[in-house]
Amino acid sequence: MNVALSNNKADSVVMKKRKKSIISDVKQNFYLYLLVLPGVLYFLIFKYLPMVGVVVAFQDFNAVKGFFKSEFVGLKNFEYFFTSKDWLIVTWNTVFLNILFLFTGLFFAILIAIVLSEISNKYFKKVTQSLVILPNFISWTLVSMFVFALLSTDIGLINSVLKAFGFIQEGQEISFYSNPDLWVAILVVLKIWKGAGFGSVIYLAAIAGIDQEIYEAAKIDGATRLQCITKITLPQLKTTVVLLTLFGIGDIFQGDLGMIYAIVGDNPNLYQTTDVIDTYVFRMLRQMNDISMSTAIGLYQSLVGLVIVFVTNHLAKKYDSDSAIF
């Protein structure tokens, strides 16, 4: 009995010390915590509070009745999705496209970062860096207009150039918007063009943090520029690459709704290769006005993504403990 009381007292003393240390730390670094506050509020308001709405996935939700009075239907909303033929198509498209986006984007971001870091002319380097980053700030809506101007069957630049040089005849135009097989490559190219330059910024920062004396020592030993890249730069980027890959895998079940819907829209001819979970949910919400089924699919998407993150993080920890998220 005395031992239990002494343990409880010891625990309470430890808790008080921790509270005091946290309070003192907040007082000491008040402005740093204030700087973090907007990010914390963002995640609380837009990421954690909406999780209350998960209950809708198990209800026949009625906006008038609200969360507490809508009829509970169990797994009925999930059953509708998983008994349809669409769930396999949209799941495969989401994962397949995101894997392509992740690894092609990773490759070209690292490539751009290495090329920029090797440019010695300061002004040329700044101009080039600005040009490769610029596409990131162009909206997908505007990009979709450029894509249509290029790929349109009747007035598209590509078909017009092919006809002008005699590669195709009138009436033989490539119908991009009715051929789903072409769109995987098109979407990957667009994703690289828009995002790889901006993604290279992180790798540029990582390269800038590498001790320059290592390069100087390597050059004294007779290492070529290519050897410096392969033997010094790339190994030094390993931790950053693994960490960012983990973050990317965390979103592997999140389709890029803004990109795909802006460019493809409601074109049923292209659903076979471009319809992802997010566009499917968005279309269901608009056409069927069924919030419960849309929420159920979103919950499935989130749970599978969570499992993938834990599994990938576990594998990364075995490979390199410093690269794991947790």
Side-chain angles (χ1 to χ4, degrees), residues 2-112:
N2 292 331
V3 173
L5 288 172
S6 61
N7 287 335
N8 289 333
K9 287 181 180 179
D11 290 340
S12 63
V13 170
V14 171
M15 289 297 294
K16 286 179 181 178
K17 286 183 178 179
R18 285 180 180 174
K19 287 180 181 178
K20 286 182 180 178
S21 64
I22 292 171
I23 293 170
S24 62
D25 188 60
V26 171
K27 287 180 179 179
Q28 187 177 356
N29 303 291
F30 176 75
Y31 291 106
L32 291 176
Y33 280 100
L34 196 64
L35 190 67
V36 173
L37 184 62
V40 173
L41 290 176
Y42 167 79
F43 279 99
L44 284 175
I45 296 170
F46 295 104
K47 301 295 182 180
Y48 287 98
L49 285 180
M51 289 175 70
V52 177
V54 167
V55 69
V56 174
F58 305 96
Q59 295 177 331
D60 182 10
F61 182 71
N62 187 310
V64 177
K65 295 180 180 179
F67 290 137
F68 301 104
K69 295 185 179 179
S70 294
E71 182 186 356
F72 180 79
V73 295
L75 299 176
K76 186 178 179 181
N77 295 315
F78 295 90
E79 183 182 347
Y80 174 84
F81 177 61
F82 288 110
T83 53
S84 70
K85 63 179 181 180
D86 296 326
W87 83 273
L88 282 172
I89 295 172
V90 297
T91 301
W92 165 255
N93 288 342
T94 304
V95 174
F96 181 61
L97 286 173
N98 278 331
I99 288 174
L100 290 177
F101 293 159
L102 175 61
F103 289 105
T104 56
L106 184 71
F107 173 79
F108 282 99
I110 294 172
L111 181 64
I112 291 169

Side-chain angles (χ1 to χ4, degrees), residues 81 86-87 89-95 252-257 260 274-283 294 297-298 300-302 304:
F81 177 61
D86 296 326
W87 83 273
I89 295 172
V90 297
T91 301
W92 165 255
N93 288 342
T94 304
V95 174
I252 208 163
F253 248 68
Q254 302 291 326
D256 195 334
L257 175 65
I260 296 175
T274 63
D275 198 21
V276 295
I277 295 175
D278 296 74
T279 55
Y280 181 84
V281 170
F282 184 56
R283 189 169 62 254
S294 301
I297 299 169
Y300 152 71
Q301 187 180 22
S302 301
V304 175

Side-chain angles (χ1 to χ4, degrees), residues 8 32 45 48 50 60 127 143 146 163 173 208 229 245 248 260 281 301 322 324-325:
N8 289 333
L32 291 176
I45 296 170
Y48 287 98
D60 182 10
V127 171
V143 172
F146 294 148
K163 282 190 288 187
E173 295 89 353
I229 292 170
T245 302
I260 296 175
V281 170
Q301 187 180 22
D322 294 332
I325 301 174

Side-chain angles (χ1 to χ4, degrees), residues 237-305:
L237 290 177
K238 182 183 70 173
T239 302
T240 306
V241 169
V242 173
L243 188 62
L244 292 179
T245 302
L246 283 174
F247 286 137
I249 288 173
D251 289 331
I252 208 163
F253 248 68
Q254 302 291 326
D256 195 334
L257 175 65
M259 172 192 182
I260 296 175
Y261 188 75
I263 295 171
V264 176
D266 290 319
N267 185 346
N269 295 323
L270 306 181
Y271 286 165
Q272 183 182 342
T273 57
T274 63
D275 198 21
V276 295
I277 295 175
D278 296 74
T279 55
Y280 181 84
V281 170
F282 184 56
R283 189 169 62 254
M284 179 181 290
L285 192 60
R286 286 184 298 109
Q287 295 178 358
M288 299 181 62
N289 197 28
D290 195 325
I291 298 174
S292 296
M293 288 185 186
S294 301
T295 306
I297 299 169
L299 179 59
Y300 152 71
Q301 187 180 22
S302 301
L303 288 175
V304 175

